[in-house]
Amino acid sequence: MSDNNPESDTPAGNAAKPAGSAKQRTARRRFIRSSLLTGGIVGLALLGYLPVARASRTRLRPPGALDEKDFLASCIKCGQCVQVCPVQAIKLGDLTDGYGIGVPHIDAREQACDFSCDAGQCILACPTGALTYDKPGFLAVRPGAHLARLPILKAKEKDPEPTLNLKERMGLARLAQPQICLAAQGKGFKGQARGAGFKGTMRYMDVDRWKPIPVADHPYERELCDLCVTECPIKDAIRLKFVDNGDGVKRAAPEVLEQCVGCGVCEMICPVEAGGMAAIVVDERKTWEA
């Protein structure tokens, strides 16, 4: 007679392996390595063998991050936000981050936050409030950081509650190199946005709502390049503004709107770059100045 108890199939003396995806286990190992490296570096710094300086550059922090000084003071570098990110956008700081060693950040060009989790799982996972939906009253909101209204996530637009409970922007997108922007040149785009070797992933609703796929597996064909607009996960955050130069060529330029949260998808998906920089980039911590 068969036994329906799943534990009966487990060999004696061999406990069942804990549940968890391979991605979570990989993230956990990376976190442990980062923690050990951080501890060693800080220890050497305290002993005077290695100077720990300020970060050489600012970083794009995950959604809901407190202002930089408060964030660095609150984050305990536990790596929970890293483990729950469905597109693995969140990384831990290295030596070049100075006091931010082991602190989570996002490199938008490499992998942006596309809110594939729908609800900001990194915020929900943070145990200290370094990432939060609601700042405590004694922490002021910087002018221009506050979003005029809760952002509508395009992927949830048909849901009863389509908004993200995100009250402050991560940064702000900016057309940094208009001279290389394909839309500004009146050019279209066909093919893989970042080439066959690009490892970044993104959620494509027409493929799967819950499973992000490699950008390289989703080629485009556009008469006029508008990837930064169509792939932006937030409604009314960016649009194309058409320009008439009188030469008969259909031209346009990306125009960033106040609902931009600074997620970085436009920077990641932009198919052109010069000097290691895309045509459109996200400025970390940048506020809205109407």
Side-chain angles (χ1 to χ4, degrees):
M1 197 172 170
S2 62
D3 189 350
N4 292 326
N5 185 354
E7 293 183 0
S8 64
D9 294 329
T10 303
N14 184 18
K17 294 183 179 179
S21 67
K23 183 175 73 173
Q24 289 176 320
R25 292 194 293 271
T26 300
R28 193 174 296 114
R29 286 195 294 268
R30 288 176 179 170
F31 165 66
I32 292 172
R33 286 198 298 268
S34 177
S35 298
L36 292 173
L37 177 62
T38 300
I41 292 170
V42 172
L44 289 172
L46 292 174
L47 290 172
Y49 293 110
L50 183 66
V52 176
R54 293 188 179 276
S56 59
R57 53 163 293 187
T58 57
R59 290 287 199 180
L60 182 64
R61 300 301 181 190
L66 299 176
D67 287 343
E68 189 69 3
K69 289 183 179 179
D70 297 320
F71 181 70
L72 292 176
S74 303
C75 177
I76 58 173
K77 309 175 184 180
C78 66
Q80 292 298 313
C81 57
V82 176
Q83 294 185 40
V84 299
C85 181
V87 293
Q88 297 182 296
I90 304 174
K91 309 295 182 184
L92 298 178
D94 54 26
L95 281 171
T96 63
D97 287 275
Y99 293 123
I101 294 173
V103 177
H105 69 272
I106 294 172
D107 182 343
R109 187 64 174 159
E110 179 183 336
Q111 176 62 63
C113 165
D114 71 342
F115 299 103
S116 282
C117 60
D118 274 5
Q121 292 299 317
C122 53
I123 300 176
L124 298 174
C126 180
T128 66
L131 305 177
T132 181
Y133 287 122
D134 296 294
K135 273 186 175 180
F138 59 85
L139 292 178
V141 177
R142 290 174 299 137
H146 186 76
L147 289 162
R149 61 184 186 276
L150 293 180
I152 293 176
L153 188 63
K154 289 178 182 177
K156 294 177 63 179
E157 200 168 358
K158 296 181 181 179
D159 292 1
E161 178 47 69
T163 59
L164 287 170
N165 190 22
L166 198 64
K167 298 179 177 64
E168 292 184 39
R169 66 185 85 252
M170 304 155 63
L172 194 66
R174 169 175 60 91
L175 184 59
Q177 302 199 83
Q179 73 279 6
I180 65 170
C181 174
L182 294 179
Q185 298 175 58
K187 296 180 179 179
F189 180 79
K190 182 177 181 179
Q192 297 151 313
R194 298 289 304 284
F198 182 59
K199 303 299 183 184
T201 62
M202 206 161 71
R203 172 168 64 182
Y204 291 94
M205 291 293 290
D206 57 336
V207 178
D208 192 320
R209 170 164 183 163
W210 298 114
K211 187 178 180 181
I213 66 169
V215 173
D217 290 350
H218 197 278
Y220 298 91
E221 186 170 358
R222 303 291 168 84
E223 182 180 347
L224 182 69
C225 185
D226 61 354
L227 301 190
C228 59
V229 175
T230 61
E231 303 314 293
C232 175
I234 305 299
K235 186 177 181 179
D236 298 329
I238 186 173
R239 67 186 177 192
L240 282 186
K241 185 176 181 179
F242 289 90
V243 181
D244 185 2
N245 288 348
D247 57 4
V249 178
K250 186 179 180 182
R251 304 175 190 275
E255 182 181 21
V256 179
L257 306 175
E258 190 174 358
Q259 280 303 105
C260 173
V261 302
C263 66
V265 168
C266 57
E267 180 175 346
M268 179 180 77
I269 205 68
C270 180
V272 294
E273 66 176 50
M277 180 187 294
I280 189 167
V281 301
V282 169
D283 291 332
E284 305 88 350
R285 302 287 181 174
K286 179 69 175 176
T287 56
W288 178 260
E289 299 173 5

